[in-house]
Amino acid sequence: MSAKPLSARSAAINILCGVLGEGRMISDMAYMTGHLASEEKARALRLAKDTLRGLERLDRLLDRHLKKRPPPYVHNALRLGAFELCTGGSAHGVVGDVVGLVKANPKHGRLSGLVNAILRKMSGDAGKPWHDLRVPRLPPWLRKRLLDAWGVNVVANIEAAHFEGAPIDITVKSNPGKWAGILGGILLPTGSIRLRNAGSLSLLPGYGSGEWWVQDAASAIAARVLKPKSNETVLDMCAAPGGKTMQLANSGARVTALDISEGRMGILKENLERTRLEANPLVCDALEHDGGPYDAILLDAPCSATGTIRRHPDLPHARDGTGFQSLFDLQSKMMDRALGLLKPGGRLVYCTCSLLPQEGEVQVERALARHPRIHADTRGFDVDGVHEAWISSEGGMRLRPDYWPELGGMDGFYISSLCWKG
């Protein structure tokens, strides 16, 4: 694998090798694109992610031409080339470039002829068989869990949403209707703005002056449910990279932003500086934090992140479902710690970007059993755009990628508002 690929396609192939061969997340492989121009970097990431979204379809098509699967680098080069051909790429440019990359690889150059032959066979009618194949399914380790939780029809709809990918959502400081017009976006029912074909975000109006930040619409609902008030003391318990922190600070609350990662906290500080919002950032293990007590706490707990697959298609391929129990245990401990940091009469919003009930509904049911003096308060769900059907039986809110299909979906999320009784 080359440390410094010379093109977007080369970088994308190396990223695919890292995800599929080494179980790495794309976010951990920034060095593979860091030297590329911004447009080429964005193209490399887009190619890698789109290839991962269509992986099942691509392998079905390629297997028609392969007697046995080639080495991983060659296989991923074929997958990338096949994806581009199946989605309208120029046969001349795609085939020539991918063959050239394989030919230049010291270990696999001898297989460039095989790559050339297969991609040229596919270039004639690639589009039709691509669209005739079923929507790619999630890997069995995750699909079984979701089938047990939601049933076959819901899982099929979730997989369709994953395959479509995710548009970019932003949260604005004020006047979202005005900014939707300026940016040519869609004003979503909950107040977020959805951008399509936005290009380079840093060049858009309002970015440099800090009028908005990128944040999926589902994620933005959690801070709206907390309803922070001016001058309230609020703890954002797992804050980085800071989307919710900025929402809380924008309300006028006195925000303490806590995160265990110094690197991620650096991103949060940069975001606060750009948006000219104020918070008190602390690098600390949330379980050891002894501040407060606070009027309100937002706990976006560490989780499987299975609700974000439409934006992170590498996740189901880079993970295998092991280690979940340790996450479940950590979430319980963090929720207990958060409740201990609340003032009497305070409120806690617990949320996870997960599709697994064990990280949402089940966690809250068990917390209510452990703490008889707290209750789930659904009054906080009186938020613009929240649908009654999203409220779950234990008093939480369940969001799924297949919601808002006509608008482009949302991340999978679970949100619960907990308050002390009396």
Side-chain angles (χ1 to χ4, degrees), residues 168-171 192-193 213-220 223 243-244 247:
I168 294 173
D169 297 342
I170 65 171
T171 299
S192 294
I193 296 172
W213 54 92
V214 174
Q215 184 180 27
D216 187 81
S219 174
K244 298 179 187 67
Q247 284 182 282

Side-chain angles (χ1 to χ4, degrees), residues 190 192 215-226 247 383-384 386 390 397 399 404 410 415:
T190 52
S192 294
Q215 184 180 27
D216 187 81
S219 174
I221 293 173
R224 294 184 174 123
V225 167
L226 190 66
Q247 284 182 282
V383 172
D384 287 346
V386 168
W390 300 352
M397 185 191 303
L399 307 177
W404 290 349
M410 64 171 67
I415 302 169

